């Protein structure tokens, strides 16, 4: 049986080796992240269209988002009781550099970055104390990042997050792979990534903790990955159905109501496959283009003229509770939610 220990990332120590996964748009903001941090984990704010509630979001989305990054981090600090806070910033975000700098200026402890390889993240963070954790899904991607960062910036990641094929939202796998997850034998890849990271860390006489994400729902799941050599886990879907989650209650209820067969792989309009709940909106999206308003400059891979629907509008509708007109991203285990829980109850389950 795995020994559960605190998660140490440089000079940061999380008493509970759990990072709450960043969920956008607006699903993990200050309320959820602050509550997780206060209970000894690492609470994570998603910066994806974080300013959606700002009055000028429609006319000035980038400005609204950059302002909201600072506001949400400040609000989370007040809830966190000195706990650790992170920001999840997607590489594919337009003006990615500005989002990173804004989070660093606001004093964020950790930046977790995926949806592309964050090749120049060390340059953007500079000499700030902010810890850096790239998200990877393969040995190849972790090798590329570690080699490049060391060669160009004389820096290694402070932690690595492995995101497996059972995660929610956008996924770093091909649609065919996601239709046969068992056939991926992904635990073999996880072991290979951990071995490669440990080897590189040893060469540089340092420690780089590896955190497993995607499909982690219970303590048993955590113990499985820690036996394989992970130092911690990232959990997202489980926290949606908490009282503290920043999403509307209707969004949470959609998870509680979902059956296993309702959770499907969808083709996101930004060009990546994703996992979501099949609902009236997704059925309409399959039939043809859904008209949308002005572009909110979310990610660089979207072409507003050709997109089947606006992902920002669909995700904002989700977090606001307009469930039938929404893209409801979720992890593979969303159907396991049967009731609302408090963050503290989940954190108690994962405590050493």
């Amino acid at each position: 049986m795995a020994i559960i220990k605190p998660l140490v990332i440089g000079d940061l120590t999380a008493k509970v080796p759990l990072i709450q996964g960043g969920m956008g748009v607006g699903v993990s903001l200050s309320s959820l992240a602050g509550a997780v941090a206060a209970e000894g984990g690492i609470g994570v704010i998603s910066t994806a269209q974080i300013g959606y509630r700002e009055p000028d979001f429609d006319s000035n989305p980038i400005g609204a988002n950059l302002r909201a990054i600072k506001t949400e981090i400040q609000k989370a600090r007040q809830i966190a009781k000195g706990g650790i806070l992170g920001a999840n910033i997607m590489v594919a975000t337009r003006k990615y550099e500005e989002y990173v700098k804004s989070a660093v200026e606001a004093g964020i402890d950790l930046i977790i970055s995926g949806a592309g390889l964050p090749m120049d993240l060390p340059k953007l963070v500079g000499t700030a104390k902010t810890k850096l954790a790239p998200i990877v899904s393969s040995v190849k991607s972790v090798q590329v990042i570690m080699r490049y960062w060391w060669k160009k910036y004389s820096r290694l990641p402070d932690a690595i997050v492995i995101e497996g094929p059972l995660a929610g939202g956008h996924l770093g796998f091909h649609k065919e792979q996601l239709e046969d997850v068992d056939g991926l034998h992904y635990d073999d890849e996880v072991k290979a990534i951990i071995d490669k990271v440990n080897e590189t860390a040893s060469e540089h006489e340092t420690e780089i903790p590896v955190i497993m994400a995607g499909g982690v729902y219970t303590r048993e799941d955590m113990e499985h990955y820690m036996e394989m050599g992970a130092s911690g886990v990232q959990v997202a879907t489980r926290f949606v159905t908490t009282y503290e989650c920043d999403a509307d209650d209707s969004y949470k209820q959609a998870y509680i109501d979902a059956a296993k067969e309702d959770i499907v792989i969808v083709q996101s309009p930004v060009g990546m496959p994703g996992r979501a709940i099949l609902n009236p909106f997704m059925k309409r999206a399959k039939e043809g283009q859904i008209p949308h308003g002005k572009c909110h400059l979310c990610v660089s891979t979207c072409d507003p003229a050709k997109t089947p629907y606006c992902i920002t509008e669909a995700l904002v509708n989700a977090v606001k509770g307009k469930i039938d007109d929404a893209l409801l991203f979720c992890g593979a285990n969303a159907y396991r939610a049967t009731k609302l829980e408090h963050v503290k109850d989940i954190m108690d389950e994962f405590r050493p």
Side-chain angles (χ1 to χ4, degrees), residues 3 8 43 48 54 74 99 131 184 218 243 252 255 258 295 307:
I3 297 169
V8 179
E54 295 287 306
Q74 286 166 0
Y99 284 62
K131 303 294 182 284
L184 280 174
T218 62
Y243 293 100
K252 302 173 190 183
Y255 276 48
C295 177
T307 186

Side-chain angles (χ1 to χ4, degrees), residues 21 66 109 148 154 166 201 229 246 285 298 308 318 344 352:
L66 295 175
D109 300 311
Y148 186 85
S154 301
L166 298 177
D246 295 85
C298 62
K344 182 181 187 306

Side-chain angles (χ1 to χ4, degrees), residues 50-73:
I50 189 172
Y52 77 95
R53 293 178 296 197
E54 295 287 306
D56 60 343
F57 179 64
D58 287 340
S59 59
N60 178 25
I62 303 291
N65 288 336
L66 295 175
R67 204 178 316 122
I69 286 171
K70 296 187 175 178
T71 308
E72 289 297 325
I73 291 171

Side-chain angles (χ1 to χ4, degrees), residues 8 12 36 46 93 96 101 116 191 209 222 232-235 248 250 262 271 278 282 289 310 334 337 350 352:
V8 179
L12 301 174
V36 171
S46 166
T93 304
Y96 172 72
K101 288 174 181 174
K191 285 176 191 160
M222 174 173 75
V233 291
Q234 180 174 286
V235 178
D248 185 88
S250 300
D262 296 328
L278 186 61
M282 289 318 305
Q289 198 168 28
C310 171
F350 285 85

Side-chain angles (χ1 to χ4, degrees), residues 84-146:
I84 303 168
L85 292 172
N88 182 297
I89 309 178
M90 297 187 296
V91 178
T93 304
R94 289 180 203 247
K95 307 287 184 185
Y96 172 72
E97 299 83 0
E98 291 182 38
Y99 284 62
V100 169
K101 288 174 181 174
S102 193
V104 170
E105 282 168 18
I108 203 71
D109 300 311
L110 170 72
I111 289 175
I112 298 170
S113 196
L117 297 182
M119 302 305 280
D120 295 318
L121 189 54
K123 178 176 77 176
L124 302 176
V125 171
T127 57
K129 284 173 60 181
T130 308
K131 303 294 182 284
L132 307 181
I135 298 174
V136 302
S137 295
S138 68
V139 174
K140 185 179 176 185
S141 54
V142 80
Q143 279 181 303
V144 166
I145 288 170
M146 290 192 299

Side-chain angles (χ1 to χ4, degrees), residues 271-319:
M272 291 176 270
R275 182 173 278 107
I277 295 172
L278 186 61
N279 67 342
F281 178 82
M282 289 318 305
K283 289 172 183 172
R284 291 202 305 278
K286 280 182 179 177
E287 289 164 12
Q289 198 168 28
I290 295 174
H292 58 85
K294 187 183 169 193
C295 177
H296 287 86
L297 305 174
C298 62
V299 294
S300 52
T301 52
C302 179
D303 179 349
K306 295 178 183 172
T307 186
Y309 59 89
C310 171
I311 195 165
T312 289
E313 286 179 8
L315 291 173
V316 169
N317 283 344
V319 77

